[in-house]
Amino acid sequence: MTKFAIGLDFGTESGRALVVDVATGREVGSAAYRYADGVIDERLPGTTIKLEPDTALQNPNDYIETLKRAVPEALKQGGVRADDVIGIGVDFTACTILPTRTDGTPLCTLKEFKSNPHAWTKLWKHHAAQPEADRINALARERNEPWLAIYGGIVSSEWYHSKTLQILNDAPEIFNAADKIIEASDWLVWQISGALKRNACAAGYKGLWVKGLGFPSNDFLRALDPRLDRLNETKLVGEIVAPGTRVGFLNEQAARWMGLRPGIAVAAPTIDAHAAVPGAGVTEPGRMVLILGTSSCHMILARERHLVPGISGVVEDGILPGLFGYEAGQVGVGDIFEWFVEHGTAARYKHRAKERGISAYQLLEEEAAKLEPGESGLLALDWWNGCRTPLVDANLSGLLIGATLGTRSPDIFRALIEATAFGTQMIIETFERHGVAVNELVACGGLAERNKLLLQIYADVTGREFKEAGSGHTSALGAAMFGAYAAGRAAGGFDSLTDAAKAMAQTKDVTYKPNTQHHATYRKLFAEYRTLHEYFGRGTNDVMKRLREIRNAED
Amino acid sequence: MTKFAIGLDFGTESGRALVVDVATGREVGSAAYRYADGVIDERLPGTTIKLEPDTALQNPNDYIETLKRAVPEALKQGGVRADDVIGIGVDFTACTILPTRTDGTPLCTLKEFKSNPHAWTKLWKHHAAQPEADRINALARERNEPWLAIYGGIVSSEWYHSKTLQILNDAPEIFNAADKIIEASDWLVWQISGALKRNACAAGYKGLWVKGLGFPSNDFLRALDPRLDRLNETKLVGEIVAPGTRVGFLNEQAARWMGLRPGIAVAAPTIDAHAAVPGAGVTEPGRMVLILGTSSCHMILARERHLVPGISGVVEDGILPGLFGYEAGQVGVGDIFEWFVEHGTAARYKHRAKERGISAYQLLEEEAAKLEPGESGLLALDWWNGCRTPLVDANLSGLLIGATLGTRSPDIFRALIEATAFGTQMIIETFERHGVAVNELVACGGLAERNKLLLQIYADVTGREFKEAGSGHTSALGAAMFGAYAAGRAAGGFDSLTDAAKAMAQTKDVTYKPNTQHHATYRKLFAEYRTLHEYFGRGTNDVMKRLREIRNAED
């Protein structure tokens, strides 16, 4: 009897339901719902209230609509009966938080608060809490807080405490009215299962929660603002559970919304990027998962905690229970290539692509693929958007060296791809130098799907085999594995995530193997990259920062 | 009674005759003749003989045709009678040399030699003699030749001895048959006046001639190749005269060709770029003439010889009699901008320019002019074509730093203009540090005519006033001054070049004055430029050279 698990993937613009055969990983149904209110960054829905710059909100009702619309459609697509669905897993963007009443009612759905932007869900890319982040960083450094090093020394404006402090500062009435301030992922699971828990992934990577230490201490919170006193026991309360842990069972109402059977297992949620790790079939140390997109995430598991400078965080149980999950990242990857296609590519390539009915991006990839490593004579530093790992410095900028009158657009395009590969190599070396082994690479994400040249270059640069995840919805597939794991073997699922991943995840047949000769050339180029990386990135020549200061002085 | 002088300007693709009123500098007639054989770089004219790469030849008959066609037309245009023309001056590309018989007959006009490429004029940009230049440099360094430092330590493949040695190596039969191997400028003057002299400008800047030392010694020549024994007394013989010196009088035949009166003064010729100095009205120390084009030349006069590293040369009497003429240069200026328009500009700017009926270049200039110094956050090293002064290094390459996802084409265009301005500032400082004062700048050349933004940026970067030469044919005007000077006051001309320049040269009314605030910002940016210039240019980080080696290894 075939059993199915559902993975629910809540993204930035839409939510998706994926129905997966737990025995084979076959994706039998997939449907997305595009959020009616999308990313709210100009006006509050149904009002004329203009939002501040860097604000990015969502409407929690869009998550519920995703349940109502995407799940039934995905089930129908796969011809799957409600009785054969054994569990639900959820992945979500993070840190994406909302203030609610004790019963989970979002404040933004209440008449008295709905005109206040701070009553709405703050989306991960809400960037208006930088002053709050600065304050948190200064205080944590001053007090030498034990958790700071675990986050590479810097708390982001995107994270839980920055956003919560912004609510307190800018809308104390909302802060006071909020019984809970909660990750949207945990809220969603709470709504469908009745269980209010906090997943270790979002708590760990975005909420400064460290297993054994807990959240930042009440002392720290009170020093930050006396009104934060007892935050951990009130608005932030809730048992911390590893992603995939069964938190409860589907309630009647949610079962009705989705056309499912009440009582099936509901798993603790996880962050979308992190769900891609089991989704790509990785449940053990040594294999790094790269989620390649506009920016890139690098996820890897290990049995111990190591302090690795410049990573986004290391969280015990954060990706998979029983292991330490490490996250690192590059802030500019796909967006640099898009920038180059739009703003740096000669018109002739645009014309030629148009004539051939392909995109300029495709033509550049095709032409760049004809070049040998080193043939362009170019080298770039991939810092168009700053550097996350290992330098954690948003004020760095892009560099191109080696240009001549013979330089053409495909030369630069390839140099930019190579630069991001060197950036990944730098991250791998940073991990290895601090005790985290990286033996093999598995790629997923939009860029991995779209740019095969990139995967080969990454293999050649890193000297490591590169596999591609089998699913086009790696995160949703990972979430479905959590659902099958939460259901347990007795219900037709699995008693371990490793078993779930073995059964349900595949990589594509293609393996990108490093070409020995190319790797040798790239070793030379990487040595040059490293020298420039250190020279411009570690204070020998801070010209990039000074250029930025001069630029800002001109504003 | 109005008197006129004629300036003959022999360029790469065409020759021009300019008829100038000696009292006022008014240009009454101007006509160009486009060489029938142009630049010969694929096949010898009238044959199927294919030429080697880097070969660039001319047909000396095209020079004679210029006399026959351009001069009569320019006279007609100005309504000028032959009797009112008092003198002729000539400027020419250099080093542009040809082998001839004792009577001046070019070997390429003789049946037995015309199928041999080495019998033809080798144009300045003939670059096939690099092995010969390497040999000359090695030997000169080994022997510590006294003239080497005067040329910034490097002899170019473009120069007289490199080209002559190539004839000897590749076509000894031509070398043997050549009674003279002579600059085309001196050959032309010889043909119209009967006087075989060598102008100090070409001899000094391109022939390693140093006043007081003469040409490289016979010892050196024999060490280079025993067959060069006595070159100085045979093929290279001829009195050295300062440009503008009257070498003789127009002969019957040439007078007939041009429709002029025999017996008028003929001046010793000069190199085209160097003729621009008096052409721009500069006859005294302290005012630098910039000839801004594809590449740029920087000319300045001084009363003494200083050894300035990285300059192209310093020649006593080389530009004007009685003064030391200094030449420095940037190998990439206008060609970098052209490269960027063709190969680095986003399609949207091309489209918008087309819609507005202007060139993409004009649109970029217009948009770049809206930016404040430093606003783009970009900085570039202008080494797309290597660096001439002060580093004399063809293996350096272009660098762009400060790029972000917000970088747009006009930002880069402006950064490239600024980079060439910083390059000029570096040249000015190199001169000043070695004792040659630079107080004011005068611009001429195609780029000065076309790009007013560039002139303002150069003024702002250098902190010096920038004037624009009044003539659109600065070199030809300079040559006409030499003609008027050769004629002398008794014939209606001048007894000094200073008087000639005062009467005949103007600068345009516009003066580009440095904006104090812009200059302050540019001082900061130039400090950054200088740091990168030293870091990448002087051996701290030879990444540019290694990238080139890796590239070459890929070929």
Side-chain angles (χ1 to χ4, degrees), chain B residues 322-353:
Chain B
L323 291 167
F324 288 86
Y326 293 78
E327 179 190 353
Q330 288 172 276
V331 275
V333 183
D335 54 3
I336 301 182
F337 309 148
E338 296 294 344
W339 170 85
F340 182 72
V341 171
E342 276 312 297
H343 301 292
T345 298
R348 64 190 61 196
Y349 293 95
K350 293 259 183 177
H351 295 155
R352 215 193 297 164

Side-chain angles (χ1 to χ4, degrees), chain A residues 40 42-51 114-117 120:
Chain A
I40 303 165
E42 294 190 352
R43 283 171 209 283
L44 277 189
T47 75
T48 56
I49 296 165
K50 266 194 86 174
L51 299 172
K114 71 177 187 191
S115 300
N116 191 323
W120 295 67

Side-chain angles (χ1 to χ4, degrees), chain A residues 406-420:
Chain A
T407 299
R408 297 292 176 267
S409 298
D411 297 322
I412 301 176
F413 188 68
R414 185 173 178 118
L416 293 175
I417 295 175
E418 290 169 346
T420 66

